[in-house]
Amino acid sequence: MGWMPGNTKQGTFTIVIFILLLVCIQVGFYINIPFDYFSGNLLPELTGMLIELCIILFIVDRWQEQNRIQLLIVKEKRLREYLIFFLRHGFKNLPRKYRVGNFYGEEHHDNIEYLDNLFDFIKENGLATQEIDAIRSQCDIDLNTFGNLLPVASELTDGHFKAWSRIVYFMVRISKGLGDDEESIKYIITNIKRYECASHASGIYVGSKNV
């Protein structure tokens, strides 16, 4: 996974409690015969309380982590919906077989196959003026929204953020007529593929088996 547990203070407190538990056990064995330690000493009660506290903290920490992952999945889904919208409307003039389908996160292999086929089609056949104009028009429409969503992408993984920032960069190039539009379009497809791979590798997508 590309992310760490979100609650650092909670984790630190759990470690402290666990260390105290080990100290209590060590002290209990040191000053008592083991049988006496487990049969009639105050330290075992304290040890039991610390064990229960560790279990509670572990359960709470897991619950918080699951909630955090679910929140990331919701954010990934929102970003993915904008990618689908861009692919669906920007490439609407291409032959039907090169138009996007569902593009759900759990259909990773189909998504990669679609993006590879789209990239290869453009590389081998190029794009007509009408097709480039449709993509440029969609970049003009989506550019501000994609730019505003950069902070959302940064909350997922480093891979998501890098892919999203490069998508925005090449949208700017197309929108402002900077450089080769066809090359910029291929770079956008490449980085949508990187986004898809980042979601699959981290398990942050609707239907992930890691949740």
Side-chain angles (χ1 to χ4, degrees):
M1 305 287 282
W3 22 262
M4 298 294 291
N7 198 331
T8 305
K9 292 182 179 179
Q10 182 79 34
T12 302
F13 187 61
T14 303
I15 292 172
V16 171
I17 294 298
F18 182 71
I19 292 173
L20 288 174
L21 172 61
L22 293 180
V23 170
C24 287
I25 293 175
Q26 186 176 9
V27 171
F29 275 108
Y30 181 76
I31 65 175
N32 295 279
I33 300 172
F35 177 79
D36 293 338
Y37 174 70
F38 282 108
S39 62
N41 199 285
L42 182 61
L43 279 173
E45 295 184 14
L46 179 59
T47 302
M49 290 173 59
L50 290 173
I51 290 174
E52 291 176 1
L53 184 57
C54 281
I55 293 172
I56 292 171
L57 288 175
F58 175 78
I59 293 173
V60 170
D61 188 62
R62 289 294 298 169
W63 176 74
Q64 290 179 335
E65 180 65 7
Q66 288 296 315
N67 284 346
R68 193 179 74 87
I69 294 172
Q70 290 293 345
L71 181 59
L72 292 179
I73 287 174
V74 170
K75 293 180 178 181
E76 194 277 345
K77 179 176 179 288
R78 290 173 183 168
L79 294 178
R80 182 178 291 272
E81 287 171 349
Y82 280 101
L83 291 177
I84 295 171
F85 189 85
F86 172 76
L87 290 169
R88 185 162 292 161
H89 293 275
F91 295 82
K92 62 185 177 182
N93 292 329
L94 269 63
R96 184 169 297 277
K97 65 180 294 187
Y98 299 107
R99 300 177 197 173
V100 71
N102 292 326
F103 209 75
Y104 296 144
E106 56 188 339
E107 297 176 355
H108 174 68
H109 297 294
D110 291 341
N111 298 340
I112 294 299
E113 183 179 3
Y114 160 71
L115 293 170
D116 285 341
N117 289 340
L118 178 60
F119 183 93
D120 291 340
F121 172 80
I122 296 173
K123 182 178 180 181
E124 294 170 9
N125 301 283
L127 291 170
T129 302
Q130 182 183 15
E131 294 165 344
I132 292 178
D133 287 345
I135 295 170
R136 183 184 296 113
S137 175
Q138 198 59 42
C139 286
D140 292 340
I141 293 170
D142 290 340
L143 184 55
N144 286 338
T145 301
F146 270 69
N148 291 336
L149 287 170
L150 269 170
V152 179
S154 70
E155 294 180 35
L156 302 182
T157 68
D158 190 52
H160 284 99
F161 177 71
K162 287 180 178 179
W164 198 267
S165 61
R166 288 167 185 167
I167 290 169
V168 172
Y169 171 77
F170 288 107
M171 277 186 168
V172 171
R173 289 184 64 85
I174 294 171
S175 179
K176 296 185 179 299
L178 304 175
D180 188 325
D181 287 340
E182 199 168 288
E183 285 300 308
S184 293
I185 290 167
K186 288 193 290 186
Y187 277 118
I188 287 178
I189 295 169
T190 297
N191 283 288
I192 293 176
K193 181 178 176 179
R194 287 176 177 169
Y195 177 94
E196 169 65 30
C197 289
S199 294
H200 182 72
S202 63
I204 303 176
Y205 59 89
V206 175
S208 171
K209 300 299 186 294
N210 293 334
V211 180

